[in-house]
Amino acid sequence: TDFGSILGYHAGSVGTATVTSGTWSNSNHLYVGGYGTGTLNLGAAIANTGGRQVDVQNRTAGAVNFQGPVTDASGTGTGIHLNLNTGSTIAFTGGIALSTGANNAFTATGGGTITATQNNTTIVNTLVATSGTALFVTNTQIGSAGLTFRSITAGTTTSSTSVGIFLDTTGVAPT
């Protein structure tokens, strides 16, 4: 178990946990799961060059707020994975810059409300997948702040078989 996994389990069941600085890197992705209901505010950077950058699963309430940048420029990571978070809100406000090659860059499935915002100057969101899907959201609500990206790129100059954006049953989140 890496440091990210340990934090994820413990922060999932307390009232509020806040991390204001630091960096998760290399294989230390951040995992938040275990049917948690607490709030996690993460200001630390997640700069993983392989494997999953963020993995949030089985949240039944509460919020997970990623306030630091989430990055992978290697082209080998497996991106952001949000799954079965019915009742939970997950927000990315610190910027997302993912290049995941054959893997999906940002996946949200099975419930919850998600947002990703940028200010288009110091905080910019970009997704690149050469043969995976860059943005895949199904059966998950997009919050009122939206999912905002400067660019979403899929495929290569010689192949365009991958999907840039896939949205299905994204609903209307309560305001």
Side-chain angles (χ1 to χ4, degrees):
T1 301
D2 60 43
F3 178 67
S5 295
I6 293 168
L7 174 68
Y9 273 112
H10 291 288
S13 59
V14 299
T16 299
T18 301
V19 178
T20 57
S21 63
T23 301
W24 270 268
S25 60
N26 299 322
S27 64
N28 295 322
H29 74 283
L30 181 70
Y31 175 74
V32 180
Y35 301 95
T37 60
T39 297
L40 173 62
N41 298 309
L42 183 66
I46 300 171
N48 200 350
T49 57
R52 185 146 338 269
Q53 281 66 41
V54 171
D55 191 359
V56 181
Q57 296 191 51
N58 299 313
R59 302 270 304 168
T60 57
V64 181
N65 302 305
F66 294 95
Q67 300 157 332
V70 178
T71 62
D72 178 7
S74 71
T76 62
T78 55
I80 294 170
H81 183 248
L82 313 174
N83 186 46
L84 299 173
N85 294 300
T86 303
S88 186
T89 300
I90 302 164
F92 294 86
T93 60
I96 300 168
L98 298 176
S99 178
T100 58
N103 302 302
N104 291 356
F106 188 114
T107 300
T109 61
T113 301
I114 59 170
T115 60
T117 58
Q118 63 181 11
N119 66 14
N120 227 11
T121 54
T122 58
I123 299 171
V124 176
N125 296 328
T126 61
L127 301 175
V128 177
T130 55
S131 57
T133 300
L135 177 65
F136 183 93
V137 181
T138 184
N139 299 314
T140 302
Q141 294 182 348
I142 297 173
S144 60
L147 289 176
T148 307
F149 293 89
R150 177 180 279 179
S151 67
I152 295 176
T153 306
T156 64
T157 56
T158 59
S159 170
S160 60
T161 59
S162 57
V163 175
I165 300 171
F166 180 89
L167 302 174
D168 180 31
T169 317
T170 59
V172 177
T175 56

